[in-house]
Each structure stands twice: as C-alpha cells, then as structure tokens.
Amino acid sequence: MVTTVLITGFDPFGGGDRNPSGELALELAERHGLGADARAEVLPVVFRQASGAMRRLITETRPDVVLAMGLAGGATTLRVERIGVNFFRGGPDNAGDRYDGEEIAPGGPPAYFSMFPIDRLLAESRDCGVPARDSLSAGSYCCNEVLYAALHTCAEQSIEASVGFVHLPAFPDMVGEGSGPSMAREVQFRGLQAMLGVLIRADETAT
Ligand code: PCA
C-alpha cells in the first residue's frame, strides 16, 4: 500500500513576504523522491481558518502521515514540536484580528502529544548534516493551532495517521546581513526529506 502524506505550510504573515514552510511544502510534495503519494497545501495565517482547512484536508485525504510546517523567525535549526495545546493567543493574524486566549476546539482535551518518532527524526536530519532539535510546544499561534487541530481531528475520527509539526528557520534572503539566523532552502529541504523518509518507512512497516 502506498503511503499517503499530507504536507502543509503557511502563507507569509506579520508583514513578511515569504514563508519557507509554504514554499517547502509544495517543493517536498513535488520532488520528495520517496515513493509516497504526497499532497501539499498552503494554509492561511488566520485563526479558525487554519484549523478549519487542516480538518477538511484530513477528512478528505485520510492521510497516513501529516507533516505540518511553519516559520519560526529566529530559529537556528529545524525544530520538531512535541505538543499541541488547546489555546490560541496572538495576532494580528492575516485577517487583522488579535486574540487573547481562545480554545481551538471548545471543550476539547487540553493538549495532545505529536505522534512523530521525534528522536529518530532528529537523528536522521543530523546524520545528513542538517541541525535539528526538539521543542516542547509549538507556541500559541496558528502553527500550534494546526498541530492541535490535526491531532484532534485524527483522534475524533479514529484516523490512524502519524501527525506532527516542524518549525523552520527563515531563508537567508529574509534576514538582513548579520541581523538574524537563517538556513538555506536546500539545507532545509534535505533535512525535511530525511525526516519524511523516516515517517514513510515507519508507515510501511506498520501496515
Ligand atoms: N508561523 C506562525 C504561524 C504561521 C507560521 O508560519 C507560528 O509559528 O505560529
């Protein structure tokens, strides 16, 4: 059985004109070279629209793997997130709205753990020369929102997908010289491709 992978990234936000996660989601789906069936979507950085889009995509696609990604300005490595929480705060989002503490799924569980084999993903990325580390939580903005929504949708609909989230650094041209960390696009691609390889092999051995 061919593994079905849903890969998501985001639109630019917060006044930026690029978002590596949206660009790399499309590129990974097109040329991952891993023998899986991959679909990519670029999600809006708008509270509730982001989680609504994720929920719809999972319900439609019924994927085996959900690799969700977003930009973390200031990150120096690929960053694999451990938990998604039922809490949203921040903005203005791309609709211009600010929020100061909303439940993503009213009445839903407070948090879910990522289902990714995180230590293996980190090891595989580092083995191909791409720095990667874990982080406890994806924050409280749209990235956490889609991680929580993906895990909640799979739990509610009994979809046995491996779901997780990777935050990405900026691309070098997005930061002024010497003014912040960045990682080249091809380096990010290589690390993500290595992680996706682990996720696809894990799915193949599980079925
Ligand atoms: N990063 C933001 C939202 C969209 C994105 O790419 C975040 O970390 O929540």
Side-chain angles (χ1 to χ4, degrees):
M1 204 188 72
V2 179
T3 301
T4 302
V5 184
L6 173 62
I7 308 172
T8 67
F10 279 102
D11 286 331
F13 67 104
D17 59 0
R18 297 182 74 182
N19 190 326
S21 67
E23 296 183 28
L24 283 166
L26 299 172
E27 189 179 348
L28 270 172
E30 198 175 299
R31 56 177 207 95
H32 55 80
L34 295 163
D37 193 359
R39 168 171 180 180
E41 290 288 333
V42 180
L43 306 179
V45 184
V46 176
F47 181 47
R48 300 236 179 266
Q49 285 185 24
S51 43
M54 178 56 94
R55 203 163 35 243
R56 240 181 346 268
L57 285 165
I58 290 179
T59 307
E60 269 171 38
T61 315
R62 300 194 77 85
D64 304 299
V65 173
V66 180
L67 172 59
M69 306 184 297
L71 166 65
T76 54
T77 68
L78 302 184
R79 219 170 77 190
V80 185
E81 304 296 350
R82 289 204 179 263
I83 60 170
V85 298
N86 192 9
F87 181 81
F88 188 92
R89 178 166 62 200
D93 64 11
N94 283 357
D97 296 317
R98 282 178 193 280
Y99 298 87
D100 191 23
E102 302 271 334
E103 281 190 313
I104 294 163
Y112 291 97
F113 282 110
S114 161
M115 291 149 85
F116 281 178
I118 292 178
D119 295 341
R120 282 169 52 208
L121 299 188
L122 299 178
E124 197 80 3
S125 181
R126 290 171 187 152
D127 274 359
C128 69
V130 180
R133 69 173 183 85
D134 71 335
S135 132
L136 180 60
S137 125
S140 59
Y141 198 39
C142 293
C143 289
N144 170 72
E145 181 191 356
V146 303
L147 173 59
Y148 182 89
L151 290 161
H152 189 53
T153 302
C154 290
E156 279 194 321
Q157 300 185 17
S158 303
I159 295 173
E160 284 183 26
S162 178
V163 176
F165 194 96
V166 183
H167 261 124
L168 311 178
F171 290 146
D173 63 80
M174 295 168 63
V175 295
E177 210 168 306
S179 70
S182 65
M183 190 188 284
R185 180 184 184 124
E186 56 276 18
V187 178
Q188 296 199 32
F189 181 88
R190 196 165 75 236
L192 292 167
Q193 188 182 35
M195 291 185 188
L196 199 51
V198 172
L199 297 170
I200 291 169
R201 285 195 298 279
D203 178 67
E204 286 167 353
T205 40
T207 49

